Amino acid sequence: MTLSSYNQVSIDETALAANYRLLTSRVGESVRVLAMVKSDAYGHGLVPAARAFARAGCRDFGVAEIGEGVELRESGCRGEIFIFLGCAAEQIDYYFSHRLTPVVFSRDDLNVLAEMARRRGEKIGVYLKFDCGMARLGFDPDMAAAVARYCMELPEIEVIGVISHYPCADDPAASSNEAVAEAFAAAIEPFYRSPGFVRSLCNSGGTLYLPETHGDLVRAGIALYGYYPDGPSGRPPSGNPALRPALSFATTILQINKVKAGRGISYGHTYHAPHDMRLAVLPVGYSDGYLRCLSNRAEVLIGGRRAPVRGRICMNLCMADVTDIPTARAGDEAVLLGRQQEQTIDADEIAGWCETISYEILCALGNNNERSYHQSP
Ligand SMILES: *Cc1c(COP(=O)(O)O)cnc(C)c1O
């Protein structure tokens, strides 16, 4: 791209690698850390993020759909690539041609995979997904023995491991965690004696807070991007090793607009100037992932100070109050997520303003803006 946007997402590859290393040191040498790079690596860019993790030693990657897996493989990724959401029957070939690993949650999919393997004269290794508490995808743990027998009858299918997913691992005190771990133990019972068998239950929450259930492979998403699954409360006290947010988002002030006391600001006039004001007009709106629910709630960083967003966020524009930042000029940098001088706004703070989670903020900003990559000290 030659004509670059005002709005730039910047990704710190050093932080991604450091987060991977922090997690591997937490889980110990016998546990693999799979990097969840679905949804364009939570807004950090599928291929560059996977490369940053690979350079730090990662060999296992997870995506939602098979197209993401194909893209990752064709980018040169040599690790194991897990496809978590299956695929349409006519796409099954890609598992074989691109050496992708299916995570299977239905007998139909086992049949289709076995049939394709038979036709190609190959075997295929799969992970079986059990539903131990999400009420989402997976076989019923009560049916584990039957599923195991079913797989035995499909010689082309080799069960490499069993996977499940915690609904509440971000809260180590949640009462459901124990029941989930017990259901998981029941799900692996018919399988676990086979050599090299892989058990995987933990997302970032389980990885950080439920170490006794790490099994053989943990699947980390949000933690690799520098955030705690339970938000700011998960951050350790300063001085302790902590995950490092990797994504920042900045723009350029388009114009400074002087507004008289009493004037309504932006669509719907949801804010009226209580006094004469100076507004910085920013070329950022909800189409750039700066969610409209941040209207009248968010703050941005200008001149190293916090400037509150006033009025509704438009599709491509929003306004920040710089009455108290008299040096602010058109062309100056405004940071919406990240650090400017002594001030920092992180994705947890933005999520708090609009009652969501850091995950959604990272995806929204990261996947709707130009990204560039850098290393840090
Ligand atoms: C997204 C995802 C994860 C990672 O979750 P985080 O909370 O981001 O660590 C793990 N496992 C599965 C199956 C997922 O879909």
Side-chain angles (χ1 to χ4, degrees):
M1 195 164 326
T2 48
L3 295 175
S4 68
S5 166
Y6 293 118
N7 305 332
Q8 294 291 327
V9 161
S10 176
I11 311 283
D12 180 352
E13 295 175 334
T14 312
L16 295 178
N19 295 333
Y20 176 78
R21 286 195 209 93
L22 186 65
L23 291 186
T24 54
S25 72
R26 283 283 192 96
V27 298
E29 271 178 19
S30 59
V31 180
R32 286 148 68 186
V33 176
L34 174 148
M36 269 295 177
V37 288
K38 64 191 180 197
S39 301
D40 230 349
Y42 294 41
H44 296 65
L46 170 65
V47 169
R51 278 195 187 133
F53 297 134
R55 279 195 296 270
C58 184
R59 294 288 169 268
D60 298 284
F61 303 90
V63 293
E65 298 206 24
I66 200 157
E68 303 170 78
V70 168
E71 183 185 347
L72 187 54
R73 182 64 82 214
E74 291 184 350
S75 78
C77 176
R78 292 205 292 268
E80 183 159 8
I81 301 174
F82 294 59
I83 310 298
F84 278 90
L85 299 189
C87 70
E90 63 271 19
Q91 301 169 332
I92 294 271
D93 252 340
Y94 286 96
Y95 284 120
F96 297 87
S97 61
H98 286 67
R99 288 169 292 107
L100 306 173
T101 303
V103 177
V104 180
F105 44 84
S106 78
R107 290 187 188 203
D108 285 348
D109 287 356
L110 285 173
N111 292 336
V112 177
L113 281 164
E115 165 68 22
M116 181 59 76
R118 202 171 309 137
R119 238 187 284 162
R120 296 178 64 110
E122 295 176 38
K123 285 188 156 210
I124 185 157
V126 305
Y127 287 77
L128 299 177
K129 179 146 178 166
F130 282 84
D131 181 2
C132 297
M134 277 293 282
R136 201 169 67 171
L137 279 180
F139 295 105
D140 182 341
D142 291 343
M143 300 295 287
V147 174
R149 276 197 304 278
Y150 197 77
C151 291
M152 293 285 284
E153 285 160 19
L154 298 170
E156 301 82 8
I157 298 284
E158 186 185 342
V159 178
I160 312 171
V162 164
I163 281 177
S164 191
H165 195 60
Y166 271 120
C168 308
D170 52 332
D171 175 8
S175 57
S176 70
N177 290 333
E178 213 176 301
V180 170
E182 275 169 24
F184 188 62
I188 62 177
E189 223 294 315
F191 301 96
Y192 76 97
R193 286 173 206 87
S194 50
F197 178 74
V198 177
R199 302 156 295 168
S200 178
L201 176 58
C202 290
N203 51 7
S204 294
T207 305
L208 293 168
Y209 307 134
L210 301 167
E212 64 287 358
T213 63
H214 282 167
D216 306 296
L217 179 144
V218 297
R219 308 180 307 270
I222 197 68
L224 288 174
Y225 305 104
Y227 288 89
Y228 291 81
D230 45 343
S233 60
R235 277 204 165 268
S238 69
N240 296 289
L243 300 167
R244 282 163 58 183
L247 184 150
S248 52
F249 179 52
T251 189
T252 303
I253 299 175
L254 211 50
Q255 189 172 58
I256 302 290
N257 186 4
K258 295 198 176 96
V259 171
K260 290 275 179 223
R263 288 276 302 275
I265 292 167
S266 192
Y267 288 120
H269 282 180
T270 57
Y271 184 88
H272 287 84
H275 46 71
D276 289 359
M277 290 178 84
R278 292 172 78 244
L279 295 175
V281 182
L282 307 178
V284 174
Y286 53 82
S287 87
D288 309 298
Y290 203 58
L291 308 176
R292 189 168 175 274
C293 51
L294 292 164
S295 299
N296 287 311
R297 295 180 171 190
E299 296 175 347
V300 306
L301 305 179
I302 294 173
R305 317 245 317 260
R306 283 173 176 259
V309 168
R310 300 298 192 201
R312 287 220 176 111
I313 291 166
C314 311
M315 190 178 291
N316 300 104
L317 291 165
C318 66
M319 275 71 83
D321 182 356
V322 289
T323 310
D324 298 332
I325 311 174
T327 55
R329 294 280 176 279
D332 286 359
E333 178 196 64
V335 171
L336 295 94
L337 193 177
R339 189 176 182 81
Q340 195 186 55
Q341 300 174 35
E342 299 309 308
Q343 289 285 339
T344 303
I345 292 172
D346 68 16
D348 282 326
E349 187 172 14
I350 299 175
W353 288 325
C354 58
E355 290 155 60
T356 182
I357 50 176
S358 60
Y359 301 62
E360 188 178 9
I361 302 301
L362 295 174
C363 289
L365 294 176
N367 289 334
N368 287 294
N369 292 289
E370 286 174 26
R371 288 184 291 235
S372 63
Y373 295 83
H374 67 277
Q375 322 274 324
S376 66

